[in-house]
Amino acid sequence: MAMRAQRIGKANPAEDEAVYQAILRALLEGKLKAGTKLAETPLADIFGVSRERIRKVLHRLGAERRLEMIPNRGARVPRPTLDDVRRVYEAHRVLEAGVLSQLVLRVDDLLLARLDAHLAEERAAAQRGDRATSVRLSGAFHVHLVEALGNPELSRMLGDLLSRSSVMVSVYEPAAQSICAVDEHGAIVAALRDRDLLRAIAVSREHFLHVEGRLRLDEHGASESENLAAIFAPVKPLRRKARSAQS
Amino acid sequence: MAMRAQRIGKANPAEDEAVYQAILRALLEGKLKAGTKLAETPLADIFGVSRERIRKVLHRLGAERRLEMIPNRGARVPRPTLDDVRRVYEAHRVLEAGVLSQLVLRVDDLLLARLDAHLAEERAAAQRGDRATSVRLSGAFHVHLVEALGNPELSRMLGDLLSRSSVMVSVYEPAAQSICAVDEHGAIVAALRDRDLLRAIAVSREHFLHVEGRLRLDEHGASESENLAAIFAPVKPLRRKARSAQS
DNA sequence: GCCGTGCCAAATGTGCACATTTTTATTTTT
DNA sequence: AAAAATAAAAATGTGCACATTTGGCACGGC
């Protein structure tokens, strides 16, 4: 019994984060198609970490409602119903209405200036046809609104909602028109400048309904995304235990 | 080696739930004082389950922001700052404003009748001095409002917020006056009946500010709650491995 | 007398070896 | 031959044995 100094218990929280971020990123970028099964053992091989670590990350993502966990059957990328998407959008709409109701009470020139600056950025990106930036800035507008309240609770809520709708967008939304119209954002700021809560809420509501209206109505049965190894390829294996599971 | 048929791997999800509910309940009922450390091994002994099971539950509660998890140092009952409490209340206020903005667009007689019935219950409980029921119904009012929208996302958000503020209430709120005034709830319903969004939001806002205003301003250093075994005593041990850890 | 240093006990984190459940493939029966 | 039944294979869930880290305490130095 030669005291096999096992290499267990490394206590490396960075590894957890790395795996978590990698899967989350793939999820947010839409690289993982809806309905794909995320088995523990293959992922452990791909990332070169123990299965328990994968398991922990998967359960965490499940708790955040970003993965669908079925007891004894593992984790799957959720396949949201059109109704699910609508509910998330509605929640976003409701939350923003609340944010606006609080915001009209404390608008100041500084905030308005910041929002105007953001609108200018959005317009610039739209004019030069930079669609990627447009999409990013379009989402950032709503983040700006909620962060103006300086309440981490609310910011986190909206963040969760946004990340989830981002994933859903990749399923149901036509890629071309997925950006919010800059005019509508401008209208919200204008209403805010006038301290007109009812108009702000109405405009915001219209805005979200527009986005919702663009959702594709057909539920195309998202196919399983094969070869997971390729999806996580850009991420360097943390340990060199991973072998290419090429078929 | 007589094939020690180990009793591991029982795959009993009910046990998880039981432990989770027990701790959550103690948390919500304020039996666990803020700052109390929840070590894994003692809890495992108390509940008569394995440490891993406790660990899983503790991490889940941490993910739900109901416990404060410190790496390598375990779980503690959070000791919220007064600012923390205010932020949760503000989030609740903002969310309800959004709910109301959506609700005025779809109020019908059925909803109003239900709310009236609830108000009647509240008044009855208040008149007969049933404080426990009053507190419960008072929270249920806000739940009714959000559930009227029929959106599970929003309901879950409010549920999280409510449960957290419930815990905080036990720290900062004077026990006697912690109930919402029925009149204020009635005023919200009245504004809803008139489809007057601005008034509904204003009344709701006032209502929450009243509750916030009653918070105790002194941060009393909540002492550690000793003898955990007694706190979880009403819960029957799941296995008979627990011995009374009386000092 | 007080602070820095090093050891000891306790609590948390992790990998592994199983048990259990699910899924798939094969066989048998009507 | 199709469907039900059965067995094998794979994947998930769990307890346990460690390793690692943390906190306290004694000892010694300034």
Side-chain angles (χ1 to χ4, degrees), chain A residues 60-113:
Chain A
R60 176 177 168 193
L61 287 165
E64 295 168 355
R65 307 281 197 289
R66 294 200 225 277
L67 287 181
E68 186 179 3
M69 303 295 299
I70 309 173
N72 290 323
R73 296 195 39 189
R76 305 183 76 89
V77 179
R79 195 191 300 253
T81 313
L82 196 53
D83 281 342
D84 290 336
V85 184
R86 287 215 184 89
R87 276 193 280 269
V88 171
Y89 272 80
E90 184 186 41
H92 195 166
R93 197 171 70 210
V94 165
L95 188 60
E96 181 153 307
V99 168
L100 290 173
S101 78
Q102 187 74 1
L103 221 46
V104 289
L105 301 176
R106 59 166 88 169
V107 273
D108 55 359
D109 293 339
L110 178 60
L111 173 60
L112 289 172

Side-chain angles (χ1 to χ4, degrees), chain B residues 131 173-181 211 214:
Chain B
R131 204 157 282 283
E173 204 160 334
Q177 297 188 342
S178 68
I179 59 172
C180 302
V211 177
R214 284 202 294 258

Side-chain angles (χ1 to χ4, degrees), chain B:
Chain B
M1 47 182 73
M3 235 180 94
R4 342 203 304 264
Q6 292 180 253
R7 197 62 57 80
I8 76 175
K10 287 214 317 184
N12 192 346
E15 252 184 25
D16 284 58
E17 264 308 292
V19 174
Y20 173 79
Q21 291 293 339
I23 298 182
L24 180 60
R25 180 168 182 162
L27 219 44
L28 259 52
E29 290 179 354
K31 291 184 178 179
L32 290 169
K33 292 180 185 169
T36 304
K37 176 170 171 62
L38 294 180
E40 298 173 359
T41 313
L43 287 177
D45 283 340
I46 291 175
F47 285 101
V49 301
S50 74
R51 190 166 70 89
E52 320 301 303
R53 213 166 275 253
I54 299 289
R55 159 175 282 267
K56 204 201 306 182
V57 171
L58 253 41
H59 279 276
R60 176 177 168 192
L61 288 165
E64 294 169 354
R65 307 281 199 291
R66 292 197 230 270
L67 287 181
E68 186 181 2
M69 303 295 298
I70 310 174
N72 290 321
R73 294 195 40 189
R76 304 184 78 88
V77 179
R79 194 191 300 254
T81 313
L82 195 53
D83 282 342
D84 290 337
V85 184
R86 289 215 185 89
R87 275 193 279 268
V88 171
Y89 272 79
E90 184 186 41
H92 195 166
R93 196 170 71 210
V94 164
L95 188 58
E96 180 154 306
V99 169
L100 290 173
S101 78
Q102 188 74 3
L103 221 45
V104 289
L105 301 174
R106 59 167 89 169
V107 273
D108 55 0
D109 293 340
L110 178 61
L111 172 61
L112 288 172
R114 282 181 187 162
L115 290 176
D116 282 336
H118 183 89
L119 288 179
E121 273 191 80
E122 278 196 69
R123 286 198 195 88
Q127 274 193 340
R128 71 173 183 271
D130 187 346
R131 204 157 282 283
T133 306
S134 286
V135 173
R136 189 174 52 79
L137 290 177
S138 179
F141 174 77
H142 301 282
V143 175
H144 269 73
L145 282 183
V146 70
E147 285 193 342
L149 289 181
N151 189 324
E153 294 291 333
L154 290 167
S155 296
R156 194 177 49 76
M157 281 186 187
L158 187 89
D160 286 357
L161 243 35
L162 260 183
S163 77
R164 293 181 59 195
S165 64
S166 296
V167 175
M168 294 173 171
V169 154
S170 68
V171 183
Y172 285 104
E173 204 160 334
Q177 297 188 342
S178 68
I179 59 172
C180 302
V182 183
D183 303 340
E184 297 177 337
H185 287 178
I188 294 177
V189 175
L192 223 45
R193 179 172 279 114
D194 295 345
R195 272 79 171 171
D196 189 341
L197 176 58
L198 284 183
R199 201 174 95 226
I201 289 181
V203 172
S204 168
R205 175 185 163 78
E206 280 299 315
H207 173 50
F208 279 103
L209 289 180
H210 275 175
V211 177
E212 280 182 57
R214 284 202 294 258
L215 294 175
R216 277 198 290 209
L217 292 178
D218 58 320
E219 304 209 7
H220 51 78
S223 58
E224 282 258 338
S225 58
E226 51 252 56
N227 59 327
L228 262 67
I231 294 175
F232 296 111
V235 182
K236 63 168 192 286
L238 301 175
R239 296 173 189 168
R240 295 310 159 86
K241 203 166 34 174
R243 290 165 295 105
S244 64
Q246 175 122 9
S247 61

